Amino acid sequence: MQEERKLPRNSEISRRKIMKVAEKIFAQKGFDGARVDEIAKTAGVNKALIYYYFKSKSMILDEIFKDFVNEATELIYKYFDEDIELNEPEFMNQVFDIYMEYLESRKDTLKIMLTESLKSGDEAPPLFSFVEASLNHEADSIIKSMKQKGYNIADQKDQIKVTEFFTSFMPVISYIVFRDKWCRFFGVSKEQLKNMFFEAYKATHISHHITQHP
């Protein structure tokens, strides 16, 4: 009888450490330029241990994206419940601040996602998968809220996804990824840029929600 393979002690801690180090290296050097040897050396683990948890470098990236999408989606679900009031600016402001804080903590993941999504190929861009997972619940909530307010509308999930992706997801991701370089190039502080970006975001995306769902 073949013995069941046992995980090393503190296996989840080791696995998370490998993912965190890989995330940093992928963001710095790009996925193609990163090497498993460097990940192992930086994480202070044996290369064999990496392959114990992950069959390939691609699997490490897949797990990083999966972890991010699960966390981000859970955060969205927490605020976009069935009682959402879309016409409350204070609610939008609060959600924006909380979500931005989380996304800033995952800046490296967003940078990798953006870079990998720009590659040519037949595979679905990671950003599209993120949008698909994140917006399923939000789109349902928006449609339900509109119908409760008396709007005679059909299922407009496709339109909502387009609106959210191009007027919310991409501007926010671009802000987070390019923030530091923007501040250095244009000589503004992070606080100044944050305030200016938020004003632009309110005038575009949040204003759209308020206009469409009065």
Side-chain angles (χ1 to χ4, degrees), residues 33-131:
R35 296 290 178 264
V36 175
D37 287 333
E38 183 179 4
I39 295 172
K41 181 178 180 181
T42 305
V45 300
N46 191 293
K47 184 177 177 180
L49 184 63
I50 292 181
Y51 286 114
Y52 184 86
Y53 295 118
F54 310 97
K55 294 180 180 180
S56 64
K57 187 175 71 169
S58 294
M59 186 175 176
I60 301 176
L61 185 61
D62 289 343
E63 287 297 308
I64 291 173
F65 286 162
K66 181 180 178 181
D67 179 66
F68 168 71
V69 170
N70 287 340
E71 286 184 355
T73 303
E74 183 179 345
L75 191 58
I76 289 175
Y77 281 18
K78 180 178 179 181
Y79 291 97
F80 285 89
D81 58 26
E82 60 182 16
D83 296 322
I84 179 175
E85 285 294 338
L86 296 171
N87 59 349
E88 293 184 5
E90 291 185 6
F91 173 82
M92 289 291 190
N93 295 355
Q94 180 184 16
V95 173
F96 178 85
D97 287 341
I98 294 173
Y99 204 60
M100 285 292 288
E101 183 177 353
Y102 169 72
L103 291 180
E104 287 178 1
S105 74
R106 299 301 300 264
K107 178 181 177 180
D108 285 340
T109 304
L110 291 175
K111 183 178 180 180
I112 302 166
M113 269 191 161
L114 182 60
T115 302
E116 292 298 304
S117 294
L118 291 172
K119 289 182 178 179
S120 61
D122 296 331
E123 296 183 1
L127 277 176
F128 290 5
S129 299
F130 174 40
V131 170

Side-chain angles (χ1 to χ4, degrees), residues 85-88 92 141-153 156 159-160 163-164 167 202-214:
E85 285 294 338
L86 296 171
N87 59 349
E88 293 184 5
M92 289 291 190
S141 296
I142 292 173
I143 291 170
K144 183 175 181 179
S145 178
M146 290 175 69
K147 287 182 177 179
Q148 288 176 341
K149 295 176 187 299
Y151 290 92
N152 184 21
I153 63 169
Q156 298 183 3
Q159 178 61 56
I160 291 171
T163 300
E164 295 299 316
T167 72
K202 286 193 297 184
T204 54
H205 183 70
I206 294 180
S207 178
H208 167 79
H209 274 298
I210 296 173
T211 302
Q212 293 297 310
H213 319 299

